[in-house]
Amino acid sequence: MTDMGSRQTFLNMHKIFYILIIFLPLSVLFSQTSNLSGKTETKTSSQQEELIFKEIESAIKEANVEQISKYFGQQTYFSFSNGTNGYYSSNQAFYVVEDFFKLYRVTSFKLDHIKTDNNHSYATGKYNYDNRGQRSTAQVYISLKKIGTNWIITQFTIN
């Protein structure tokens, strides 16, 4: 009986050994695959933020408030060189930005620095404008925050 019990134990150990040989490499493969997909999501998220900033940049160049306003949150903070500052609802913000663009007509705009992160990102740039025949330049700061799956502008400064 002991000979038969030993043999059974030996066979069971071989089965376990073969199972480990088959499944261990598969588990390593699957863990690497999930890590790769995580890196892809981060890269994709970063690319998404950069695309949003490029869209905002284009909208500012064209003084297209409608295109920018789709990124306004329920309460967005504004600080403009014309004295406008404070938190505005998305509806109010539309008119605040529209009025600013009418007074300070953009001649050129370029974002020169974009910093992306998982949930908060920002960009800075130069806003060249014409105000009653006088040309000048202002610094722009825009910050985005991820809320759920959407990115919204939390702060928009032109000074």
Side-chain angles (χ1 to χ4, degrees):
M1 279 285 222
T2 56
D3 209 19
M4 189 69 141
S6 300
R7 183 170 166 82
Q8 189 64 32
T9 303
F10 181 75
L11 289 174
N12 284 341
M13 285 177 58
H14 266 81
K15 286 179 186 176
I16 292 172
F17 178 74
Y18 287 120
I19 290 172
L20 285 175
I21 286 176
I22 292 170
F23 288 112
L24 188 60
L26 288 175
S27 68
V28 170
L29 178 68
F30 284 119
S31 71
Q32 287 177 351
T33 303
S34 66
N35 284 342
L36 289 174
S37 68
K39 288 179 185 173
T40 303
E41 286 175 20
T42 302
K43 191 173 185 180
T44 302
S45 175
S46 176
Q47 289 172 342
Q48 179 187 14
E49 296 155 55
E50 287 183 24
L51 287 173
I52 290 169
F53 278 124
K54 291 298 178 189
E55 185 177 352
I56 292 169
E57 179 183 54
S58 174
I60 292 172
K61 282 180 187 176
E62 299 166 8
N64 185 338
V65 182
E66 200 167 305
Q67 193 175 355
I68 300 169
S69 69
K70 67 183 180 182
Y71 295 108
F72 292 158
Q74 290 180 350
Q75 291 289 305
T76 302
Y77 181 79
F78 291 88
S79 177
F80 288 162
S81 56
N82 66 353
T84 300
N85 62 41
Y87 287 92
Y88 295 89
S89 70
S90 58
N91 192 39
Q92 292 170 318
F94 182 94
Y95 295 106
V96 165
V97 175
E98 184 178 58
D99 289 345
F100 184 85
F101 285 164
K102 285 178 184 175
L103 285 173
Y104 300 88
R105 295 187 186 278
V106 65
T107 56
S108 68
F109 177 68
K110 177 79 174 140
L111 289 174
D112 51 27
H113 182 76
I114 297 174
K115 171 71 173 123
T116 59
D117 199 349
N118 289 340
N119 294 318
H120 294 88
S121 297
Y122 71 90
T124 60
K126 297 278 187 227
Y127 183 85
N128 297 304
Y129 62 90
D130 180 70
N131 179 359
R132 297 182 187 152
Q134 249 185 334
R135 292 183 176 250
S136 195
T137 301
Q139 182 67 33
V140 174
Y141 173 85
I142 302 168
S143 68
L144 297 176
K145 180 178 181 181
K146 189 170 188 177
I147 298 184
T149 59
N150 298 319
W151 286 93
I152 63 157
I153 296 174
T154 56
Q155 183 175 343
F156 190 175
T157 303
I158 304 176
N159 288 316

